[in-house]
Amino acid sequence: MYLVAIAWAYVALMMAAAEATSPQGTLFGAFITLMLYGILPLGLLLYILGTPGRKRRRRAAESAAQGDAGGHATPGPAEGLAPEREEA
């Protein structure tokens, strides 16, 4: 996934450089080219392709916060139990 993003960023950067160095080009045109062909599409693509990973991390964090699979916290050794008395 990242290899395609790096390649696309390289192409967009080269397009912006060509726009900036062209006799009819401007730096503003190069900036617009970089934004509209590079940064914005890449940001959207990486956000969409990263959705399954974000969901997986969120579910893992929620299940770790719940404790066991049943959703109930496991009681500790003295939690919920009355102390035992020893008789002589």
Side-chain angles (χ1 to χ4, degrees), residues 58-80:
R58 187 178 65 222
R59 286 184 189 142
E62 287 174 356
S63 67
Q66 286 181 352
D68 63 346
H72 300 289
T74 55
E79 191 176 312

Side-chain angles (χ1 to χ4, degrees), residues 1-15 34 37-39 41-43 45-46 49:
M1 174 172 84
Y2 291 117
L3 183 63
V4 173
I6 291 169
W8 185 261
Y10 177 76
V11 169
L13 185 65
M14 291 298 109
M15 287 173 60
L34 185 63
Y37 287 124
I39 305 291
L42 271 177
L45 178 74
L46 292 176
L49 292 179

